[in-house]
Amino acid sequence: MKKILLVDDSMTTLFMEEMILDGRYDVALAKDGEEALDKALAEAPDLILLDVVMPRMNGFDVLAALRAREETREVPIIMVTTRGEETNVEQGFARGCTDYVTKPIDATELLTKVKAYLGEI
Amino acid sequence: MDAKGGRDHAAYVRRVREDTDRYIRDLLAENERLRRLATALRGERDQLEEERDRLRGSLSDAEAELARFRALHEQLENQLSEVEHESQSFSSKFLELAKRNNDLANLYVASYRLHGTLDRSEVLTAIQEIVINLIGSEELGVYELEGSELKPVWSFGLEEGLLRSVAEGSGFVGEAAASGEIQLPGADGGKSRVPGEETLTAAIPLRLGGRVFGVLALFELLPQKGGRFESLDTELFDLLASQAGTALYATSLVEGGE
């Protein structure tokens, strides 16, 4: 089963994402940016869902760090954001994210994008 | 007539007779030729009539076959239309169920988070996360009722001093407390808003049983909400009204016990 790393400082969002994905994929959780970087190496996920607004290390910085590493350079990363404004989306793509979804998360949209970037559709 | 004339006349008669005989032979020959030609043409005509009748029969069969195929084609078109309609119906039902499933997951997550702790700050964090991540607003505040006055006790994402004490029944926040009903100002709410409620989008009474002890106020929505609430949001408001109220009240009991 493919593995997805969920990164969010919100327990609610992590729980929601886990409910949507569990059973279809293995999931690993990280509650902040630093834990995300550690787990991205340790768990070798096939895809990462990455929150943008996090304390200490925000999602864009995590994204840049993941893209700087050879082990995680090619992993699909979907940014999960409350801020869907164009500038934030552009910033994400400029730093190397694969796609984004806005909160509140729509389960169908999230699953469709995950499947697409895992090559399942 | 003299002998020479007689010989000339006989020769003439002989020539006429010979010409006549030749003419008659030619006529007979031509007649025979025409007779054979007529026979041949009659035979050909009979063959063509037979062929014509045979082709008429084939054409009739082909027309019958064509009519049968047309009827079959129409039947299949109707069946295809029914199947497509049924498929669309199933797709719609599937989408409805998927949405409902998603909504129920949201409600379950919200409920789980609210009742997962007896620590007040963690309950407030759960409320904050539910409002931000499941409803879609990053500006919220909580009022608690003291006597007949609602006092702001907590906020997130709001300017310092925006939330002010409100009399029960005053404005949308006060009305939520007084009536125990969720207030959604909407576009027509301008007249009843009190200062501080300019960007208020929802006032949710926090209830314990039938008693209101506070109000959860939501302000500006995230851009992707399009300025409106969905049916799931209404269900989350109902959940927050009862379960956030219960959870916060439980934390006060724990704190009071300590």
Side-chain angles (χ1 to χ4, degrees), chain B residues 4 12 14 80 89 122 126 138 185 194 210 237:
Chain B
K4 185 177 184 295
Y12 172 73
R14 205 169 35 252
L80 178 63
S89 175
E122 287 180 14
E138 289 182 316
V194 297
F237 293 161

Side-chain angles (χ1 to χ4, degrees), chain A residues 9-13 15-16 19-20 81-85 102-108, chain B residues 98 102 105-106 108-109 112-113 126 129-130 132-136 138 222-225:
Chain A
D9 63 323
S10 161
M11 289 288 295
T12 304
T13 304
F15 193 5
M16 191 67 210
M19 280 195 69
I20 293 170
T81 175
T82 54
R83 310 252 170 92
E85 295 97 329
T102 52
K103 297 176 183 178
I105 295 172
D106 179 85
T108 305
Chain B
N102 184 51
N106 274 268
Y108 173 74
V109 168
Y112 182 89
R113 287 287 287 126
E129 289 182 359
I130 290 165
I132 293 172
N133 295 295
L134 302 186
I135 295 173
E138 289 182 316
L222 292 168
Q224 55 266 33
K225 291 290 289 185

Side-chain angles (χ1 to χ4, degrees), chain A residues 1-4 21-27 44 46 118 120:
Chain A
M1 206 179 273
K2 290 185 179 170
K3 184 176 287 187
I4 300 178
L21 300 169
D22 199 29
R24 296 181 172 93
Y25 306 99
D26 280 338
V27 296
D46 298 290
L118 290 176
E120 295 170 3

Side-chain angles (χ1 to χ4, degrees), chain A:
Chain A
M1 206 179 273
K2 290 185 179 170
K3 184 176 287 187
I4 300 178
L5 174 61
L6 311 178
V7 184
D8 206 302
D9 63 323
S10 161
M11 289 288 295
T12 304
T13 304
L14 283 177
F15 193 5
M16 191 67 210
E17 289 173 349
E18 198 176 3
M19 280 195 69
I20 293 170
L21 300 169
D22 199 29
R24 296 181 172 93
Y25 306 99
D26 280 338
V27 296
L29 308 181
K31 295 187 210 55
D32 58 47
E34 285 161 6
E35 188 181 0
L37 293 176
D38 291 340
K39 287 210 171 171
L41 282 178
E43 302 279 351
D46 298 290
L47 184 141
I48 300 173
L49 292 184
L50 177 58
D51 184 27
V52 172
V53 179
M54 292 189 291
R56 292 187 301 280
M57 192 176 187
N58 69 35
F60 293 129
D61 294 336
V62 173
L63 175 62
L66 289 170
R67 288 305 185 224
R69 292 179 180 175
E70 192 180 340
E71 300 93 333
T72 50
R73 190 166 296 147
E74 302 299 325
V75 176
I77 299 174
I78 300 176
M79 308 294 288
V80 182
T81 175
T82 54
R83 310 252 170 92
E85 295 97 329
E86 209 171 298
T87 51
N88 288 296
V89 172
E90 282 174 2
Q91 191 177 1
F93 283 122
R95 294 191 185 209
C97 81
T98 313
D99 207 332
Y100 77 97
V101 293
T102 52
K103 297 176 183 178
I105 295 172
D106 179 85
T108 305
E109 182 191 6
L110 179 65
L111 270 175
T112 302
K113 290 191 174 184
V114 165
K115 285 180 182 178
Y117 292 117
L118 290 176
E120 295 170 3
I121 51 171

